[in-house]
Amino acid sequence: MAQIKSNKIRKINKSFTSSRIIDFVREHTNRVTIRISIIILAVVIIIAGFLLYNRYNSYDDYKVLNSIKVDSSSGSQYLSYQDFVIKYSGDGISYIDSDGTVWDESYQMKTPIVDICDKYIAVADKNSNNIFIYDDEGKQGKITTSFPIIKVEVASQGVVAALLEDQSANYIEVFDKEGNKLISHKTLLDENGYPLDFSISDDGEKMAVSYITVNNGSMSNRIVFYNFSNTGKSSENKIAGEHNQYKEALVPMVKFLSNSDVVAVGENVLSIYKVKDESKLKEEVKINDEIQKVFYNEEYVGFILENHNSRYPYRIEVYDLDGNRKMKTEIKMDYDCVSFSGNNILMYDDMNCRIISFDGVEKFKTTFRGEMNGIVPVDGSRTFLFMTRSKIQKVKLK
């Protein structure tokens, strides 16, 4: 009997020990879970605080990180290129990086037109017949057009399209970088219409043209898309779509923002198109006030509009490529130059600079001591290139 009792006691102790172990494991697991939860919460709070700080923080000064001496004429202009800038004027063009001038090419032009796509640069003198092609290594070729040039655009592989004007007709000609003519499209006012603007896709395979036509004394505007790729070869006249909903409203701007995203800006409308094998009107936004300026990047289209407010005579509105308004704010001053810098709006003239976020927060504002020739965002947030006649400064806001 004693032996039986002893076995029962062992069973009870064994059961009691197992229960203690289970409770211990549960308690330890709960502690670890709580600690992990606290750590995750702390990380989330830190990240949220960092994002809120960046979103609403503003800067009142800047630190010069690097400075390069340059010799610029009063008519010099700058465009973002690679990691730095292209400087051009009527006397020539040069590529400048963080170490200084990489190459410098001279020419004589009255009204230079410059377009950049990836590494290629196209330069033409308006109303002339010559287009020069450059890349990061310097001059790569020269194109001679059949008629005087109105506008040029270059694609990522060096293909160049030019809008040309003759006394009786207009032409759109497309060339490869070696100067070989790929396409020549003639337009007559009483047939195809007069081309107000055109744009080619980054891959050089598609084109959008805004035409104005006059029939029986009545004027109308239409957007025509062309597809020159293999998929577009079977279509008549390479036409990938035609849109004539504008009626008498002029559409003086059409622009490929990517290989398939196109925006057209009319007197009172923003049209957003998707273009693949065929074109499709994705969204239209009515613009109720007079457009003063249009600016864009790969994701957004922005407007400086006339505003019916004597205290704030101008208004900024920004839309994404789905037609959603991302920003609306009133401003007092209309600056000469406006562009995107990340989710901020960069505005400047030769003496003043102002940066406003999409939330309407003034991130930076200053008046320069000397004349400013250009400002180029570097990282879309705090780092910029400031160009004057004598130097280029890489600066960081602080």
Side-chain angles (χ1 to χ4, degrees), residues 8-276:
K8 287 183 178 180
I9 290 172
R10 289 194 186 97
K11 289 180 181 180
I12 293 172
N13 288 339
K14 185 177 181 180
S15 175
F16 177 75
T17 303
S18 299
S19 177
R20 289 284 301 274
I21 292 173
I22 291 170
D23 290 341
F24 174 78
V25 170
R26 285 176 176 171
E27 183 178 353
H28 180 72
T29 302
N30 289 337
R31 287 178 180 175
V32 172
T33 302
I34 291 171
R35 288 175 181 173
I36 292 174
S37 299
I38 291 173
I39 292 172
I40 292 174
L41 180 61
V43 170
V44 169
I45 291 173
I46 291 172
I47 293 174
F50 178 76
L51 293 175
L52 287 172
Y53 175 81
N54 281 340
R55 186 171 182 177
Y56 295 105
N57 182 48
S58 59
Y59 310 94
D60 55 14
D61 201 357
Y62 58 87
K63 177 183 178 181
V64 178
L65 304 178
N66 188 24
S67 184
I68 302 170
K69 290 184 178 180
V70 294
D71 184 14
S72 300
S73 63
S74 58
S76 293
Q77 299 185 59
Y78 291 85
L79 292 173
S80 177
Y81 179 71
Q82 305 287 57
D83 294 329
F84 229 73
V85 294
I86 286 291
K87 175 174 73 73
Y88 71 96
S89 67
D91 298 321
I93 183 170
S94 57
Y95 168 36
I96 303 169
D97 67 8
S98 57
D99 295 323
T101 300
V102 179
W103 52 257
D104 188 5
E105 293 280 347
S106 297
Y107 54 62
Q108 289 298 317
M109 296 185 183
K110 292 181 179 180
T111 310
I113 307 169
V114 180
D115 189 59
I116 297 174
C117 185
D118 289 347
K119 74 172 185 176
Y120 284 102
I121 308 161
V123 184
D125 193 6
K126 190 172 183 178
N127 297 319
S128 78
N129 295 74
N130 295 320
I131 303 171
F132 299 98
I133 308 300
Y134 303 88
D135 66 8
D136 52 2
E137 296 180 354
K139 188 176 178 179
Q140 297 300 312
K142 177 183 176 182
I143 295 169
T144 301
T145 62
S146 305
F147 302 98
I149 299 163
I150 302 300
K151 179 185 177 181
V152 296
E153 278 199 9
V154 63
S156 59
Q157 74 280 57
V159 169
V160 175
L163 174 62
L164 314 174
E165 187 174 53
D166 191 17
Q167 292 181 353
S168 59
N170 290 88
Y171 298 82
I172 296 174
E173 293 185 342
V174 180
F175 303 83
D176 63 19
K177 62 184 178 181
E178 286 76 28
N180 302 307
K181 188 184 296 184
L182 305 177
I183 297 164
S184 181
H185 178 66
K186 181 180 180 179
T187 63
L188 297 171
L189 182 60
D190 56 353
E191 294 179 10
N192 313 88
Y194 178 85
L196 292 177
D197 195 20
F198 84 100
S199 182
I200 60 172
S201 57
D202 288 351
D203 57 15
E205 295 184 348
K206 295 179 281 290
M207 180 184 295
V209 185
S210 175
Y211 291 101
I212 182 173
T213 58
V214 179
N215 292 316
N216 299 322
S218 178
M219 183 178 64
S220 63
N221 210 123
R222 62 194 175 105
I223 305 294
V224 180
F225 292 93
Y226 300 90
N227 190 334
F228 304 118
S229 66
N230 291 330
T231 56
K233 284 186 176 180
S234 60
S235 61
E236 183 180 0
N237 298 322
K238 311 294 184 185
I239 293 177
E242 185 172 339
H243 304 265
N244 55 7
Q245 73 274 18
Y246 302 101
K247 298 181 180 179
E248 294 185 359
L250 295 181
V251 185
M253 175 191 153
V254 60
K255 181 65 180 177
F256 268 94
L257 303 185
S258 70
N259 284 326
S260 59
D261 295 304
V262 181
V263 296
V265 178
E267 293 175 312
N268 58 358
V269 66
L270 164 65
S271 303
I272 303 169
Y273 294 94
K274 199 73 172 180
V275 186
K276 293 184 179 179

Side-chain angles (χ1 to χ4, degrees), residues 292-295 304-305 313-316 330-339 345-356 362 364-368 375:
Q292 304 295 311
K293 287 184 177 66
V294 182
F295 54 103
I304 302 295
L305 303 172
Y314 303 100
R315 186 172 75 253
I316 303 174
E330 296 176 317
I331 57 175
K332 293 182 178 180
M333 185 175 177
D334 181 21
Y335 293 80
D336 294 337
C337 302
V338 186
S339 65
I345 309 300
L346 166 65
M347 302 178 289
Y348 68 92
D349 52 33
D350 58 352
M351 295 298 294
N352 305 284
C353 174
R354 188 182 183 195
I355 300 173
I356 304 176
E362 185 172 270
F364 179 70
K365 185 177 182 179
T366 191
T367 297
F368 299 110
I375 300 176

Side-chain angles (χ1 to χ4, degrees), residues 276-342:
K276 293 184 179 179
D277 294 341
E278 296 181 351
S279 63
K280 178 183 178 182
L281 178 61
K282 185 177 178 181
E283 195 65 53
E284 277 199 330
V285 179
K286 295 296 181 184
I287 307 296
N288 297 319
D289 294 300
E290 183 177 342
I291 299 172
Q292 304 295 311
K293 287 184 177 66
V294 182
F295 54 103
Y296 49 83
N297 62 11
E298 296 82 1
E299 299 180 86
Y300 304 107
V301 182
F303 299 93
I304 302 295
L305 303 172
E306 193 176 72
N307 197 42
H308 303 290
N309 185 329
S310 58
R311 187 179 179 187
Y312 298 96
Y314 303 100
R315 186 172 75 253
I316 303 174
E317 291 190 8
V318 173
Y319 296 86
D320 64 18
L321 298 187
D322 290 320
N324 301 311
R325 189 168 65 194
K326 308 299 291 185
M327 176 186 182
K328 179 181 178 181
T329 189
E330 296 176 317
I331 57 175
K332 293 182 178 180
M333 185 175 177
D334 181 21
Y335 293 80
D336 294 337
C337 302
V338 186
S339 65
F340 286 105
S341 175

